[in-house]
Amino acid sequence: MDINTILKAKNAWERFTRNHPRFPMFLNAAKAYGIKEGTVLEFHISNPGEETLIGNIRITADDLELFESIKELK
């Protein structure tokens, strides 16, 4: 990954967090609570006037390794 791609991603994340300030707070709370192997993350997608989609994933050791790699990019 080149530096321009990293800078673009950083700028996009900063813009995202300005637009959605509660999301980083949620992530910090989840981090403090602890995401361990076996943790279930549930997702809801609600579009106006449409059916809500719900799904989930169970966190694996591979997922935790990915999260650590992403943290190192900061």
Side-chain angles (χ1 to χ4, degrees):
M1 192 179 296
D2 67 29
I3 190 72
N4 288 330
T5 303
I6 293 170
L7 290 174
K8 270 183 164 177
K10 181 181 181 295
N11 289 336
W13 175 252
E14 288 171 353
R15 193 169 48 253
F16 180 85
T17 58
R18 276 194 310 274
N19 291 333
H20 308 285
R22 293 187 331 183
F23 187 70
M25 290 188 289
F26 171 79
L27 292 178
N28 286 333
K31 180 180 174 183
Y33 185 75
I35 296 176
K36 306 166 198 64
E37 189 172 352
T39 298
V40 176
L41 300 180
E42 188 167 276
F43 310 97
H44 293 240
I45 299 174
S46 302
N47 287 319
E50 295 181 18
E51 184 178 338
T52 298
L53 299 173
I54 301 171
N56 64 58
I57 59 171
R58 185 172 307 278
I59 300 299
T60 66
D62 287 340
D63 300 328
L64 294 173
E65 186 177 319
L66 171 64
F67 298 159
E68 286 300 316
S69 296
I70 291 170
K71 280 197 273 186
E72 290 173 9
L73 289 176
K74 282 178 124 180

